[in-house]
């Protein structure tokens, strides 16, 4: 059982380029999340989805978009990357929202130059 | 909106000494409370959680946390730390319902041999 996977593991990207970070879970969880982790700022929620077909904005959604066409996949797209989007990105999933345990992927380290 | 304050960004402690990592949240309404741990170069993992019932919750590796409603706190404690406890610890809160977790900025625990 893979759990939750993210790709790529790391990426260096030129500013202005478009980039999609992939996230797939095989646990049939309803809810999925994207966070960014920055030194001194902890984890901040970018976007989330409580169920397939629905998405919501988190604390820092600007410059990012998501889609949830099916239960398993939750890609995060940077339409035109900027250096301030340099970060480590974590995808997570849970059975439902609220009190349910979130399971995290291994992360994607993104550097925008 | 909920917020979480982790008062210490870094906590160095000698091996076999006790440790307390502090966490306060913003609201006194009913909440769910969590501690997650992040080992180096990994995603987060659930350490323990409080949903209801006994205010003292324990993890399998010797950590415990006590929910104190009057002080809006959920401090994490361990009576004797090991080198392997070196990690970053995140406190998180969710309002009852389907709202996403709000994470604190994290406390880096460094256990010194």
């Amino acid at each position: 059982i893979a759990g939750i996977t993210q790709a790529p593991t790391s990426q260096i990207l030129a500013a202005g380029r478009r980039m999609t970070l992939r996230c797939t879970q095989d646990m049939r969880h309803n809810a999925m999340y994207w966070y960014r982790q920055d030194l001194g700022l902890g984890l901040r929620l970018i976007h989330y989805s409580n169920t397939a077909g629905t998405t919501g904005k988190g604390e820092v959604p600007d410059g990012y978009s998501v889609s949830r066409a099916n239960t398993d996949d939750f890609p995060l797209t940077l339409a035109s990357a900027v250096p301030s989007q340099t970060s480590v990105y974590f995808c997570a999933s849970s059975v439902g929202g609220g009190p349910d345990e979130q399971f995290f992927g291994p992360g994607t380290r993104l550097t925008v130059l | 909106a909920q917020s979480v304050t982790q008062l210490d960004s870094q906590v160095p402690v000698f091996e076999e000494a006790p440790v307390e990592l502090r966490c306060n949240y913003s609201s006194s309404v009913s909440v769910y409370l969590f501690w997650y741990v992040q080992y180096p170069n990994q995603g987060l993992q659930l350490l323990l959680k409080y949903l209801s019932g006994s205010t003292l919750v324990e993890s399998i590796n010797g950590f415990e946390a006590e929910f104190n409603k009057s002080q809006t706190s959920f401090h994490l404690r361990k009576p004797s730390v090991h080198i392997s406890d070196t990690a970053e610890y995140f406190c998180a809160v969710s309002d009852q319902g389907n709202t996403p977790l709000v994470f604190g900025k994290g406390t880096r625990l460094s256990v010194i041999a």
Side-chain angles (χ1 to χ4, degrees):
Chain A
I1 298 176
I4 186 163
T5 58
Q6 293 183 237
T9 302
S10 66
Q11 181 75 47
I12 299 174
L13 189 67
R17 297 295 295 270
R18 180 184 180 90
M19 177 73 192
T20 295
L21 307 186
R22 299 185 299 278
C23 175
T24 300
Q25 52 102 359
D26 63 2
M27 298 175 282
R28 307 302 294 171
H29 285 172
N30 288 311
M32 297 187 75
Y33 313 86
W34 273 106
Y35 296 92
R36 59 178 290 173
Q37 184 177 22
D38 302 287
L39 194 64
L41 298 176
L43 249 67
R44 292 181 292 169
L45 183 66
I46 304 171
H47 285 286
Y48 66 97
S49 168
N50 282 332
T51 189
T54 69
T55 62
K57 293 182 179 181
E59 180 185 355
V60 289
D62 294 343
Y64 306 94
S65 63
V66 292
S67 62
R68 187 87 185 278
N70 57 60
T71 298
D72 298 344
D73 301 299
F74 192 44
L76 176 74
T77 298
L78 289 67
S80 178
V82 295
S84 62
Q85 292 178 311
T86 293
S87 187
V88 180
Y89 291 85
F90 287 99
C91 181
S93 71
S94 61
V95 172
D100 293 336
E101 177 180 357
Q102 290 191 18
F103 293 83
F104 283 77
T108 293
R109 184 175 295 275
L110 181 67
T111 302
V112 182
L113 302 176
Chain B
Q2 283 285 354
S3 67
V4 177
T5 301
Q6 292 185 242
L7 296 166
D8 306 298
S9 60
Q10 296 187 59
V11 174
V13 63
F14 286 104
E15 193 174 17
E16 299 183 6
V19 70
E20 179 180 81
L21 306 183
R22 295 178 292 171
C23 172
N24 288 88
Y25 61 96
S26 61
S27 173
S28 60
V29 298
S30 296
V31 294
Y32 302 123
L33 294 158
F34 307 81
W35 277 98
Y36 281 80
V37 58
Q38 183 181 33
Y39 297 106
N41 300 310
Q42 295 185 26
L44 278 70
Q45 306 170 37
L46 180 67
L47 186 61
L48 48 77
K49 65 181 178 182
Y50 170 79
L51 303 183
S52 64
S54 172
T55 58
L56 185 66
V57 290
E58 299 177 350
S59 73
I60 58 172
N61 58 353
F63 282 94
E64 64 180 29
E66 186 161 18
F67 168 56
N68 187 320
K69 187 174 182 179
S70 63
Q71 297 185 7
T72 60
S73 69
F74 192 55
H75 301 331
L76 182 70
R77 303 183 183 94
K78 189 170 185 179
S80 176
V81 296
H82 302 289
I83 294 289
S84 60
D85 293 324
T86 293
E88 188 146 18
Y89 292 79
F90 292 91
C91 183
V93 62
S94 174
D95 293 328
Q96 289 193 350
N98 223 24
T99 56
L101 292 181
V102 174
F103 284 87
K105 294 184 178 180
T107 297
R108 184 172 299 276
L109 174 64
S110 298
V111 181
I112 305 162

